[in-house]
Every structure is written in C-alpha cells, then in structure tokens.
Amino acid sequence: MSNADLPPNDAASPQEPRLKGHALIADYVTRLDGSPGVYRMLNAAQEVLYVGKARNLKARVSNYARTTGHSARIARMISETTYMMFLTTRTETEALLLEQNLIKQLKPRYNVLLRDDKSFPYILIAQDHPFPMIRKHRGARSVKGAYFGPFASAAAVNRTLSHLERAFLLRNCSDSMFASRTRPCLQFQIKRCSGPCVGKISEEDYGRTVADAQRFLEGKTSSIQKELAAEMMAASEALEFERAAALRDRIGALTTVQQSQGINPRGVAEADVIAVHMEGGQACVQVFFIRAHQSWGNHDFYPRAGVDVEEAEVLEAFLAQFYDAKEPPKTILLSHAIEDDDLMIDLLSTRAGRKVEMIVPKRGEKAELVENALRNARESLGRKMSESAAQAKLLAGVAKAFDLPSPPKRIEIYDNSHIQGAHAVGGMVVAGPDGLMKSAYRKFNIKNSELTPGDDFGMMKEVLTRRFERLLREDPERKSDAWPDLLLIDGGAGQVSAVHEIMLELGVEDVPMVGVAKGIDRDLGKEEFHRIGKRPMALPRQDPVLYYIQRLRDEAHRWAIGAHRAKRAKATLANPLDEIPGIGATRKRALLAHFGSAKAVSRAGQNDLMEVPGISAAMAETIWNFFNDRG
C-alpha cells in the first residue's frame, strides 16, 4: 500500500489552490495510473467530503472530471472539492477494506453512513464448569462455550431463554452463587432449573440436557421432540406419571419457542435477510436473522443517505459497515444487487474465514423472505417519516416558545439522583429531529468526595464541567453535532443561575438554557420555565410543546434514577472477597463452598481458613488481615 498525494499546482497551497472542482480533478487524472486504491476529496477547510474506492484509480477519478451527467449531490461535492488524496493498494479487496475504515474514522459528509452500528446479543452455553450455565452474552467471545445468535434484541434473547429454561431446566446462576448454595433456589421450585447445585441431578444427566438444548439451538428440533415424546410414552406406560408430566411440559415449552420465532424457513438454515427501502431522501435497511431454520428477530437501521442515492449504493455501504465487527453468516439475501458484489464477497469471506454467499433471490422461499423484509423496511420508514414530521413541528414550537434562532437539533436534559448523597449519579439524555437519541445518553458517577451530601448544585457543577470540558477539548471549533443547541435543567431560577455561572467559568456563553420547575401548586401542567435575564413564563395546559418538555424531563428523571438504582444495587451485591488481593474465581468458590457466605469467611480464624483447599498459610493471613484491619 502506498500513499500518492498529488498536488495539482506546486505554487498553490492546499488552503488557496489555484484549481477547483472539475478542473482540479482533471489535473489529478493526468498523473494517476490504473492501480486499485482509495481516493479522498477535500474542501478548502481540509475537511474530507467523500471517500471512495476504485479498481482503477485513473478510470474512476476521470468520471468526476466530466462537466455533465452527475447527480445534484455529486455535482455539489465536485464543486466543493479543492484538494484530493490517494492511497494505492495491492488488491481491490484491500481498497474496499481501506475505504470502509476511512469512512468509519472520518465520517465524510457525502458518504452513506450507518449511524446505529449496535452490537447484538447471543445465547451462550458456557462450558467452563461441570454443570454449564445458559445466559445472554454480548461482546467479545472470551468465555469458553457454544454461542448461538445473533438475536435482534435483548428482549428476543430473554424470551427465548425463558422458554429454554422451562424446556431443558438449565441453570442461569453465576458460578459463585452455584458454589454457595446449600438449598435449592426459587428457580428449582418453579421448575425452571434441575437443581444441579444441590445434587438434584447427576452430572451425566445434566450433560444430556445441555446437549439437547444445543441441538435445539442448532435447529434439530423435530428429532428432540420425537425423542421426548417417546420418553413420555414410555414413562406413562411405566406409570411414572410425574416424569411423564415433566416431559410433556418440556415438549410444550419447545413448541412455544418455535411458535414465538414467527418465520421458520425450511430451506434456509443460516442467513441474514437484508432489504432497503428509500423514499424522500431517507433510507431504511431491515435485517432479519435466520439461524438454525428459525427467525431470531429483526432490526431496522436508518443510514444517512441523500435524495439522489441509489439502493445499491446504500446496501454496499451498509454491508461493509455492518459486518465490520460482526461475523457474517453463510448466506446473505439482498433485496437489490450491489455494484462490486465480488469484492464484497471476498471481503466478508476473509472476515469470516470461510466462504460467504450473497444472493438476490427472484423466486421461491428465499424471495419470500426478502419480500417480507422489504415490506417491513417500507412500513418502518413510513412510521419514522411520520414521527420525524411530528418531531420537526415540536422542535419548531420549542424554538418559538423560548425565542431560539432556529429549531434545536440537539437538546440535552440533565438530572441528578441520590439518597441523601449516597450513590450519587448525574444523568444526561439527548433529543433531536429523530426523537430521543438513546445512543447519546450519558451517566456520570459523582466523584467529588468533598461535596455535602445532597448538594444538587455541586453535583450539577461536576456533571456540566466534565461534559463541556471534554467537548471543548475534543471539538473546540464546534464542527461536530455533539454540541447542544439547548440545555433543559430540572429546577427553577436558582438552578438556572447556578448552571449559567458554571458555563461562564467554562467559557461557554452562547448555549441557551431553560429551567423547568413545578408551579406554585407543584401540579403537573403548571410548570414554570426560567431563563437568564427574563421573567418566568408558562405554556398553556394543552400546548403540545408543554407535553414534549414534560416527556423530556421525565425521561431524564427515569434515566438518572435507573443509573442510581443500578449503582446502589451493585454496591449492595458487591462481594468483599473480590477486593482481597490474590483471591480469584477458584479460591472464591472454594471459600464460599466451605463457609457458605462471605460473612462467615470474615468471621473465620486463620486455622479455619487454611482448611479450605487452595488457601495457604500466607493467603489465610492475607484474608484474616483484610477483614480484621478495617478498624
């Protein structure tokens, strides 16, 4: 790979180029060859406008040198181009990979961008324990075990897990909880676990149920149900009615799982079904996950496109960005053909370490799956466009109500949550033209130990200082969309005045802020709005803008309380054994198995501690000192 920046005129600096647009590009073409590579188009401010790949750089870039035949978007991009950069690669697939890496890094204005690149959950049957557990997993596959997915949402995983627990009675508790049990837990009582922690099932029998669950998740459902039906009949004939009833319940649970999957294609074992619908310059990409002949849910994406962008361009960009950190399946079914499908297949096959097939089906079951995805994409985009129109109207109303120069594109709402200062957390939620922007939500653990318990002003100062100091450090010129157009503060004149002083200290004086306070009666609907240098105001009870502000405030309250409760629960459930140097998972399990609880460990003497397997005299002294040197 080599860099090939070719300045068109040595006498002209990049800031003041002599050539521009078509003439500039034509000048570059004279010095390019037919190598594969990646090109970048920049404007006078050195901002990257577009990143593209080429099998043949000279041929591809020469297309931009033409003065006619371009769409409005491309013509506008060409007119803004004052500089270009080139990177040649050894292969065309390398060019595609480099292009997507640069798009992800630079986020150029004229490229199609996948804005919601989320990770998807899996079901994990862990295999690092004699009695494997089944649970939801998200992130790197660092735990030894069998992974099944992806599922479209956490709700889809939780629903499937719930049915699988009923069908196979696999445990979902942590290893430390498993080791510390002396009696069966509630899961065993409600027949959702076979009780391996207290010896209610042998390791061999439990292993068979694990194997059955794995076969089911691999799609071998009919054989499992036939075997269970045969076992149920045999148990019934042997007058083992309790066992027969348990097997009947397992068969029913398996049937429920299959019914809840919705689409269950017989001829497609593993595929992602991807369809795109475009309307009014907006795009919706719908992805259905087919695994083990079952539908494991669907998810919609709304990549940034443009009025004159074609479906093929959206799909090609989506595929490269979507599978950047995800393993592609064996088959990908598409609603539209893409231009460089051979390059995309090579790239995805390289990432997967096996052959990936890409099909645009025309008939049969696969075509029906694509048509279903396309219909969902069309309906989802229709709903989103309707919601966006209503949202735009609300934001225009906010601008009018609070004398803003234009409808805000980013509203940040702040709230704090604590109990007498304990486990204090600050929360920030964000709203914009597309509604609530949940990927932009943030929570701030209050770190200042010198704050007086319950000092809301001090907490808000810490939250805003951390938020805006980072913004000033990362984007001092405010080129990104991370800067808010409006701050909503839960509070009255005092809170607004305090926030104003904080912002002045930070040197941020031009971000409007509004305090939302309950009225004299503290009655919902009688909120007063406070602004710096202006009298308090109210909105009519039936005003949609009032309802909108209330929803934003309530969302910030919900987010802050949720973060506070999670922090409090984590502190409550924290095991002091985790804080002892040298105590890992194995020693922790041994201690809990021997003593039954961390509290019992804290009361034990050094001689008692040494009786635990793996606890030496030195380690016993370390544990004893940890619990007895705390004052």
Side-chain angles (χ1 to χ4, degrees), residues 102-148:
L102 288 173
I103 289 173
K104 185 176 181 180
Q105 175 187 345
L106 301 172
K107 297 179 173 56
R109 187 192 316 165
Y110 288 98
N111 281 97
V112 175
L113 291 179
L114 176 58
R115 292 179 290 187
D116 183 17
D117 189 14
K118 63 172 285 183
S119 63
F120 292 94
Y122 286 72
I123 285 178
L124 166 64
I125 299 180
Q127 295 172 348
D128 55 354
H129 193 278
F131 294 93
M133 67 180 294
I134 184 170
R135 64 179 174 87
K136 178 174 63 180
H137 177 87
R138 197 190 289 266
R141 300 187 182 188
S142 55
V143 180
K144 181 183 177 182
Y147 293 83
F148 301 92

Side-chain angles (χ1 to χ4, degrees), residues 456-473:
D456 285 324
F457 288 155
M459 294 178 196
M460 185 61 69
K461 181 174 183 178
E462 178 177 338
V463 169
L464 290 172
T465 300
R466 285 164 58 186
R467 163 65 178 151
F468 283 92
E469 279 185 348
R470 181 170 181 174
L471 266 181
L472 289 166
R473 184 171 62 252

Side-chain angles (χ1 to χ4, degrees), residues 153-372:
S153 65
V157 171
N158 293 336
R159 186 168 55 248
T160 303
L161 283 174
S162 178
H163 294 315
L164 289 175
E165 287 165 7
R166 291 192 182 97
F168 299 106
L169 308 182
L170 301 183
R171 73 179 182 96
N172 63 6
C173 59
S174 65
D175 290 350
S176 59
M177 184 177 289
F178 181 95
S180 64
R181 294 300 305 180
T182 56
R183 295 182 300 171
C185 67
L186 181 61
Q187 289 288 96
F188 176 80
Q189 305 295 339
I190 62 175
K191 298 181 179 180
R192 296 184 66 167
C193 179
S194 52
C197 56
V198 291
K200 295 294 184 180
I201 185 173
S202 69
E203 185 176 334
E204 183 181 358
D205 289 341
Y206 188 87
R208 278 197 290 269
T209 62
V210 170
D212 284 346
Q214 198 159 327
R215 286 166 58 204
F216 178 83
L217 289 168
E218 290 170 351
K220 301 169 184 176
T221 56
S222 58
S223 61
I224 296 174
Q225 288 179 311
K226 287 178 183 177
E227 291 171 9
L228 291 177
E231 287 183 42
M232 182 181 68
M233 293 299 296
S236 180
E237 291 172 1
L239 303 183
E240 298 176 359
F241 298 118
E242 188 173 345
R243 173 171 165 75
L247 290 166
R248 179 202 62 202
D249 293 342
R250 289 180 67 182
I251 294 171
L254 291 176
T255 303
T256 303
V257 178
Q258 288 177 291
Q259 291 174 343
S260 68
Q261 306 295 357
I263 303 169
N264 296 296
R266 294 183 179 182
V268 181
E270 177 183 327
D272 284 352
V273 185
I274 304 177
V276 59
H277 177 73
M278 301 192 66
E279 186 176 338
Q282 299 187 49
C284 175
V285 178
Q286 191 79 210
V287 182
F288 277 78
F289 302 103
I290 307 294
R291 300 293 186 275
H293 297 279
Q294 304 168 30
S295 172
W296 284 353
N298 62 298
H299 191 82
D300 47 1
F301 298 86
Y302 300 92
R304 189 188 73 189
V307 177
D308 49 9
V309 177
E310 298 292 333
E311 287 86 349
E313 184 179 350
V314 172
L315 267 185
E316 182 172 347
F318 177 85
L319 289 169
Q321 295 173 47
F322 181 70
Y323 291 113
D324 178 50
K326 302 178 183 70
E327 182 179 339
K330 294 178 181 178
T331 304
I332 299 174
L333 304 179
L334 299 179
S335 61
H336 298 76
I338 63 174
E339 181 180 351
D340 295 316
D341 56 347
D342 56 335
L343 296 184
M344 188 63 67
I345 289 171
D346 286 344
L347 175 63
L348 298 183
S349 298
T350 301
R351 286 177 176 173
R354 51 173 166 73
K355 181 67 175 177
V356 172
E357 184 182 27
M358 192 178 296
I359 305 172
V360 183
K362 301 300 182 184
R363 62 181 66 84
E365 186 179 40
K366 293 177 181 178
E368 291 175 5
L369 290 172
V370 171
E371 180 56 37
N372 178 64

Side-chain angles (χ1 to χ4, degrees), residues 401-402 488-496 513-531 534-541 546 549-550 553:
F402 300 124
L488 287 182
I489 310 299
D490 186 16
Q495 282 87 344
V496 173
M513 62 191 70
V514 175
V516 186
K518 294 285 181 67
I520 298 176
D521 301 329
R522 299 191 63 80
D523 185 20
L524 189 68
K526 294 185 178 180
E527 279 83 357
E528 288 185 344
F529 299 96
H530 298 264
R531 294 172 290 171
K534 297 185 179 181
R535 295 174 60 86
M537 59 167 285
L539 293 171
R541 270 184 176 269
L546 173 62
I549 298 296
Q550 289 172 347
R553 180 197 56 196

